[in-house]
């Protein structure tokens, strides 16, 4: 009985594999003849921070060019750079700038910015904090606002959920690791982070600059703290002066020009994807 | 025992000694029960926690829809399909190979030839290799060297490499546990070695194979590290085994770690994964019971 079932299953599987295999190999190339002439498959690999956004951009690109398939794979920025160099991927993804020895033969295209700022309640008298003060607050060495020229009130330190790109940026900026952070509470969602500060004059949290600026402009009682004297805003992220920000980059090879890759990069850097960028809490580039 | 008269009788002994032994017995029993309770409680806690967080997100549309907004919205339909296809490839390859290798070890190299020892040692080492190593190997060998690219086929074959050691060792043990008397009886009837294997040993070892299968399927379904570099990250409905397809475990990992706001769908997907695992477990159990009434 068992053997009969097993054999039957196996036959079905093998048949399915054969049929599936035959169907696929020529489907994208010949089955469709889209009007714009773009056909084929694009493979992107690299940064896991950029991958969810890239997958959404790819999906929208596929809708506009039915003959194209965009496959997004992850594995980290270094892998993205390596894969595009070796030709294993058409486009690499990186959430850090390239090192000098990685750049020859490659072109980088910034598709979005990942910027993070610290925010407090609008009624908090503290207008700015130095990097040392911020570090001391987040590692539990300063626990009262009066130590940084504020009111006599305990500081409610709010950290972000592990694995978020904000945490990566902040720990990298202060050269600490996540266990070094001594937080009173953890905020996962951006909205949760905003609410934890807008409802508590003694709280401090960090989150996406795009979201913070948007909420502050809407009248939510929060204040974006400057960093190294640079005001926290989308503008300073875009002109590269805000220190707590990084570009999200797509990388292409110079020696193998392809109309498909060019079209995709043009699309990924166009204003057509701004809403997708914002949905992932990143800052869209200037167009 | 009962029919042999015994000279030893239960002597009352010293009351103190007796009660100390009794206390020890009670303590040992309590300890054993306690351990079992902790194990069960840990499993129950995990199950209830996942169910509590995930059950709200489960619905028919979640099961069949395509993910959208990086997985925060939509469902897991293509992901479930990819997972089942990866599992199917893995099993279609590993079960025949595993049976063959186990038969070699248990039937054709009885005793301890140097070759059998070498094979066994390699399998034990392989079984302990971290899955990320299989992932990188699969990426280098299946995806790049054999040119399969990021595909369900690459993922399934990588998983097969990973599952084989468990499958072979468990099946081999099952075959060894079949009493030699049965083989002798088969030989006395003039059956060939192959016929004996197919008609006597293999059916008798079927429950062990089922256990190996359940363990293998469990490891395969839970696998993330080996799949992220082989079957990949793509959430489109796969059109063939040569397409990249994201497995449920990779999807859960991505939603929980990479996608802000993906927690609800991550929990729902985790609950689904556990449900699939339990279903496969029960099904295997049921089939084995149907075919081997004495086994449980």
């Amino acid at each position: 009985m068992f053997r009969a079932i097993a054999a039957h299953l196996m036959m079905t599987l093998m048949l399915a594999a054969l049929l599936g295999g035959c169907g696929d190999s020529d489907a994208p190339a010949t089955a469709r003849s889209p009007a714009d002439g773009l056909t084929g498959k694009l493979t992107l690999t690299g940064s896991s921070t950029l991958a969810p956004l890239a997958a959404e951009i790819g999906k929208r690109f596929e809708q506009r060019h039915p003959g194209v398939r965009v496959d997004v794979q992850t594995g980290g920025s270094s892998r993205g750079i390596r894969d595009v160099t070796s030709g294993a991927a058409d486009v690499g993804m990186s959430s850090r700038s390239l090192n000098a020895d990685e750049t020859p033969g490659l072109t980088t295209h910034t598709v979005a910015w990942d910027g993070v700022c610290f925010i407090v309640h609008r009624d908090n008298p503290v207008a700015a904090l130095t990097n040392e003060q911020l570090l001391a607050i987040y590692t539990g060495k300063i626990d009262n606002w009066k130590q940084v020229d504020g009111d006599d009130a305990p500081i409610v330190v709010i950290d972000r959920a592990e694995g978020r790109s904000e945490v990566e940026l902040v720990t990298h900026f202060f050269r600490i690791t996540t266990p070094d952070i001594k937080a009173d509470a953890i905020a996962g969602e951006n909205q949760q982070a905003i609410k934890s500060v807008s409802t508590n004059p003694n709280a401090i949290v960090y989150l996406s600059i795009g979201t913070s600026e948007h909420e502050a402009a809407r009248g939510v009682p929060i204040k974006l703290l400057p960093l190294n004297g640079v005001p926290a805003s989308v503008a300073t992220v875009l002109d590269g002066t805000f220190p707590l920000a990084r570009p999200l980059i797509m990388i292409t090879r110079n020696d193998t020009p392809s109309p498909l890759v060019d079209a995709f990069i043009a699309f990924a850097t166009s204003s057509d994807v701004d809403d997708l960028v914002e949905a992932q809490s990143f800052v869209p580039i200037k167009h | 025992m009962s029919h042999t008269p015994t000279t030893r009788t239960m002597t009352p002994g010293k009351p103190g000694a007796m009660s100390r032994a009794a206390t020890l017995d009670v303590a040992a029993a309590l300890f054993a029960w306690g351990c079992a309770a902790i194990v069960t409680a840990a499993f129950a806690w995990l199950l209830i926690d996942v169910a509590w967080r995930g059950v709200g997100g489960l619905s028919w549309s979640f099961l069949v829809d395509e993910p959208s907004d990086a997985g925060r919205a939509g469902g897991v339909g293509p992901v479930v399909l990819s997972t089942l296809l990866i599992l199917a490839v893995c099993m279609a390859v590993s079960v025949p190979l595993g049976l063959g290798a186990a038969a070699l070890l248990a039937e054709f190299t009885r005793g301890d030839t140097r070759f059998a020892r070498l094979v066994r040692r390699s399998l034990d080492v392989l079984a302990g290799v971290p899955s990320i190593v299989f992932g990188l190997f699969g990426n280098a060998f299946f995806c790049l060297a054999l040119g399969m690219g990021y595909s369900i086929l690459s993922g399934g074959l990588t998983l097969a490499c990973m599952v084989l050691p468990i499958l072979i060792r468990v099946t081999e043990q099952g075959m060894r546990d079949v009493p030699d008397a049965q083989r002798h009886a088969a030989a006395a009837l003039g059956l060939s070695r192959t016929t004996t294997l197919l008609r006597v040993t293999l059916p008798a070892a079927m429950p062990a194979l089922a256990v190996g299968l359940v363990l293998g399927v469990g490891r395969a379904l839970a696998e993330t590290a080996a799949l992220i570099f082989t079957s990949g990250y793509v959430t489109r409905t796969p059109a063939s085994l040569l397409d990249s397809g994201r497995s449920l475990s990779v999807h859960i990992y991505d939603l929980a770690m990479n996608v802000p706001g993906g927690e609800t769908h991550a929990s729902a997907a985790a609950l689904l994964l556990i449900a699939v695992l339990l279903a496969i477990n029960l099904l295997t159990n049921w089939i084995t019971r149907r075919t081997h009434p004495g086994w449980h």
Side-chain angles (χ1 to χ4, degrees):
Chain A
M1 156 114 190
F2 187 92
R3 204 154 59 198
I5 292 173
H8 190 79
L9 259 178
M10 203 89 78
M11 282 300 290
T12 318
L13 285 175
M14 283 171 174
L15 266 177
L18 280 173
L19 291 174
C22 297
D24 167 72
S25 47
D26 46 2
T30 58
R32 304 164 177 134
S33 49
D36 57 22
L38 279 181
T39 49
K41 186 172 122 178
L42 268 183
T43 303
L44 282 73
T45 67
S47 161
S48 58
T49 310
L50 182 49
L53 171 61
E56 288 300 310
I57 294 177
K59 228 183 269 178
R60 190 171 282 178
F61 190 73
E62 286 175 352
Q63 280 166 8
R64 304 203 175 174
H65 307 278
V68 177
R69 272 185 27 198
V70 181
D71 281 6
V72 176
Q73 311 292 352
T74 60
S77 298
S78 300
R79 180 172 199 94
I81 297 165
R82 216 167 48 229
D83 280 357
V84 72
T85 310
S86 73
D90 304 298
V91 178
M93 302 179 289
S94 171
S95 49
R96 61 170 174 81
S97 306
L98 270 61
N99 303 328
D101 60 327
E102 292 170 332
T103 42
L106 300 177
T107 308
T108 60
H109 317 265
T110 302
V111 294
W113 284 83
D114 186 13
V116 169
C117 63
F118 289 86
I119 63 168
V120 293
H121 194 274
R122 195 167 55 198
D123 298 339
N124 192 319
V126 174
L129 290 166
T130 65
N131 292 350
E132 292 72 34
Q133 286 170 332
L134 280 170
L135 180 60
I137 288 173
Y138 267 85
T139 48
K141 295 190 182 75
I142 290 180
D143 57 6
N144 195 303
W145 283 109
K146 72 178 176 197
Q147 290 168 274
V148 291
D149 303 325
D151 297 332
D152 181 8
I155 302 177
V156 178
V157 178
I158 298 166
D159 193 18
R160 305 303 303 279
E162 188 132 9
R164 297 182 63 98
S165 75
E166 292 101 322
V167 180
E168 209 179 302
L169 260 177
V170 164
T171 50
H172 186 255
F173 182 72
F174 287 120
R175 297 199 171 80
I176 55 177
T177 56
T178 25
D180 296 330
I181 295 180
K182 304 281 179 283
D184 299 304
I186 306 265
E189 304 286 312
N190 284 333
Q191 285 310 319
Q192 199 187 342
I194 295 273
K195 200 176 279 175
S196 63
V197 165
S198 66
T199 57
N200 185 345
N202 298 321
I204 181 168
V205 73
Y206 56 91
L207 80 160
S208 152
I209 286 189
T211 311
S212 310
E213 204 176 61
H214 180 71
E215 294 296 315
R218 264 187 31 188
V220 177
I222 56 168
K223 182 160 64 181
L224 284 65
L225 297 178
L227 212 59
N228 294 352
V230 181
S233 72
V234 167
T236 55
V237 168
L238 287 180
D239 67 22
T241 50
F242 193 76
L244 199 45
R246 58 180 174 183
L248 301 178
I249 299 171
M250 287 188 182
I251 308 156
T252 52
R253 261 191 326 277
N254 300 337
D255 57 349
T256 51
S258 133
L260 181 56
V261 171
D262 292 346
F264 180 75
I265 294 293
F267 180 71
T269 51
S270 74
S271 55
D272 289 2
V273 300
D274 281 357
D275 58 320
L276 298 178
V277 172
E278 276 161 5
Q280 306 294 326
S281 313
F282 299 136
V283 178
I285 57 168
K286 265 186 285 193
H287 300 291
Chain B
M1 277 296 211
S2 54
H3 59 277
T4 49
T6 171
T7 51
R8 208 191 284 173
T9 51
M10 284 290 282
T11 49
K14 291 186 191 127
M18 188 62 189
S19 72
R20 204 183 309 140
T23 318
L24 198 65
D25 277 356
V26 171
L30 277 180
F31 179 73
W33 276 94
C35 289
I38 287 172
V39 170
T40 317
F43 176 66
W45 187 5
L46 187 145
L47 206 60
I48 290 168
D49 189 59
V50 171
W52 180 259
R53 290 158 188 265
V55 79
L58 275 188
S59 64
W60 179 247
S61 64
F62 181 75
L63 289 182
V64 295
D65 283 356
E66 292 217 7
S68 62
D69 192 13
R72 275 174 291 231
V76 291
V79 176
V80 171
L81 180 63
S82 297
T83 310
L84 294 179
L85 284 176
I86 294 168
L87 197 62
V89 170
C90 167
M91 287 302 145
V93 173
S94 62
V95 169
L97 271 182
L99 273 181
L104 171 93
L105 286 176
E107 299 298 313
F108 294 97
T109 59
R110 304 291 291 177
D112 277 331
T113 63
R114 181 174 292 177
F115 177 63
R117 270 209 304 277
L118 184 72
V119 173
R120 247 176 241 125
R121 186 69 50 80
S122 328
L123 287 176
D124 289 346
V125 172
L126 268 184
V129 169
S131 53
I132 182 70
V133 177
F134 280 104
L136 294 175
F137 160 76
N139 182 269
F141 186 64
F142 296 119
C143 298
L144 297 177
L146 296 188
M148 297 177 189
Y150 287 93
S151 64
I152 287 171
L153 195 59
S154 302
L157 292 176
T158 307
L159 277 191
C161 297
M162 222 177 95
V163 164
L164 264 176
I166 309 175
L167 203 59
I168 295 174
R169 290 296 259 152
V170 174
T171 313
E172 183 207 345
Q173 199 54 52
M175 288 182 176
R176 280 176 182 276
D177 288 346
V178 176
D180 270 343
Q182 295 194 10
R183 293 189 185 85
H184 297 156
L189 288 173
L191 297 184
S192 72
R193 219 169 177 184
T194 316
T195 314
T196 311
L197 175 66
L198 291 178
R199 297 274 168 189
V200 179
T201 327
L202 208 51
M206 208 46 100
L209 176 65
V211 171
L213 266 180
V214 168
L215 288 176
V217 166
R219 191 157 183 211
L221 272 180
E223 195 39 56
T224 308
L227 287 179
I228 200 154
F229 293 134
T230 52
S231 65
Y233 187 76
V234 173
T235 54
R236 195 185 308 110
T237 305
S240 86
L241 295 182
L242 291 173
D243 278 357
S244 168
R246 193 190 286 197
S247 78
L248 258 177
S249 50
V250 171
H251 192 57
I252 294 167
Y253 171 77
D254 193 56
L255 282 180
M257 300 302 290
N258 269 333
V259 176
E263 291 86 357
T264 324
H265 275 65
S267 304
L271 183 59
L272 182 63
L273 184 63
I274 290 185
V276 170
L277 207 58
L278 282 179
I280 291 179
N281 217 321
L282 290 176
L283 185 71
T284 316
N285 223 321
W286 180 76
I287 292 175
T288 319
R289 268 176 209 240
R290 283 282 304 263
T291 48
H292 295 78
W295 189 77
H296 50 82

